[in-house]
Amino acid sequence: NAGVTQTPKFRVLKTGQSMTLLCAQDMNHEYMYWYRQDPGMGLRLIHYSVGEGTTAKGEVPDGYNVSRLKKQNFLLGLESAAPSQTSVYFCASSYSRVGPETQYFGPGTRLLVL
Amino acid sequence: DAKTTQPPSMDCAEGRAANLPCNHSTISGNEYVYWYRQIHSQGPQYIIHGLKNNETNEMASLIITEDRKSSTLILPHATLRDTAVYYCIVRGIISNFGNEKLTFGTGTRLTIIP
């Protein structure tokens, strides 16, 4: 049981390049999330999904797109990377639809945009 | 979600109990108190949560005051590996019609001293 995994662990992009970050979970969780974390700040929610085929915007969605074609995978795309998107990206997943919910986080992807 | 207030940093001697306070004076009746921690460069890790009763698990204990306006996370025998940023989060339950993100503030940076 690997939990939540993220690919890649680290990436350097040039401004304007595109890339996709992959998040996978093997816990059969319904909900999945993408957060970003910048130095000295807490985590901010980018997008989330409440089930296969569904996505929704979080608090900082601009410049990102997501897809949830399979329940176990949640993809985060950057169509045209900007230096402001340099950050550490964390994926999380959770099971509960109702009641208290525990989110399980991946190890993070460090992205540097030059 | 109710706002939380935590001290920015604390030190604790190795082997002693670490007591991390959190104020959440605007908490509402159906909101839970969650604690997560983030060890340097890793994804956040769930520790414990509670509604109004004190809770204990293999990692920690959570003490919630009777008026629920504050709580304390207790790590009973702190080790060097407990050095991390600890986040106190107040959050309502997930409903079938929406999703409430985890709002991570800046937390408390706990340093365990040998």
Side-chain angles (χ1 to χ4, degrees):
Chain A
N1 194 338
V4 179
T5 58
Q6 293 182 232
T7 308
K9 290 184 172 57
F10 178 70
R11 184 75 181 268
V12 179
L13 288 179
K14 294 181 180 179
T15 297
Q17 287 185 319
S18 63
M19 77 164 295
T20 300
L21 284 67
L22 171 63
C23 175
Q25 53 93 5
D26 60 3
M27 297 174 282
N28 200 35
H29 284 172
E30 290 288 341
Y31 287 14
M32 297 187 74
Y33 311 80
W34 276 107
Y35 293 87
R36 62 177 288 175
Q37 185 174 36
D38 301 300
M41 299 181 67
L43 278 73
R44 293 182 293 169
L45 184 66
I46 305 172
H47 286 279
Y48 64 95
S49 168
V50 299
E52 182 179 322
T54 72
T55 63
K57 294 180 180 179
E59 59 182 311
V60 288
D62 294 342
Y64 305 95
N65 56 75
V66 289
S67 64
R68 183 98 181 269
L69 299 179
K70 294 183 179 180
K71 185 177 183 179
Q72 64 268 31
N73 295 336
F74 195 28
L75 278 63
L76 178 71
L78 287 73
E79 291 187 348
S80 179
S84 61
Q85 294 178 304
T86 292
S87 188
V88 182
Y89 292 85
F90 290 102
C91 175
S93 70
S94 66
Y95 175 74
S96 299
R97 281 189 178 273
V98 293
E101 176 228 21
T102 298
Q103 292 190 13
Y104 296 88
F105 285 80
T109 293
R110 283 152 185 77
L111 176 64
L112 174 62
V113 183
L114 301 175
Chain B
D1 297 336
K3 182 179 178 181
T4 63
T5 304
Q6 299 177 251
S9 64
M10 292 181 63
D11 293 337
C12 179
E14 186 178 16
R16 303 296 292 270
N19 297 281
L20 291 87
C22 180
N23 287 323
H24 32 80
S25 59
T26 61
I27 192 170
S28 61
N30 64 351
E31 289 183 314
Y32 287 76
V33 179
Y34 293 80
W35 283 85
Y36 283 75
R37 72 180 182 183
Q38 188 172 22
I39 298 170
H40 181 63
S41 299
Q42 298 181 19
Q45 177 189 24
Y46 165 80
I47 301 173
I48 199 168
H49 74 273
L51 183 62
K52 53 184 177 181
N53 297 322
N54 298 337
E55 302 288 345
T56 295
N57 63 20
E58 64 279 3
M59 290 183 67
S61 295
L62 174 60
I63 308 298
I64 302 174
T65 58
E66 191 169 344
D67 64 6
R68 303 209 323 123
K69 293 185 177 181
S70 65
S71 61
T72 300
L73 178 74
I74 300 172
L75 307 178
H77 303 287
T79 71
L80 297 178
R81 288 177 293 181
D82 292 322
T83 292
V85 178
Y86 287 76
Y87 297 98
C88 170
I89 300 165
V90 170
R91 184 162 181 251
I93 63 172
I94 289 181
S95 70
N96 283 326
F97 301 101
N99 173 274
E100 290 77 41
K101 61 180 174 68
L102 281 177
T103 300
F104 286 79
T106 52
T108 296
R109 182 172 297 278
L110 175 67
T111 302
I112 306 302
I113 301 171

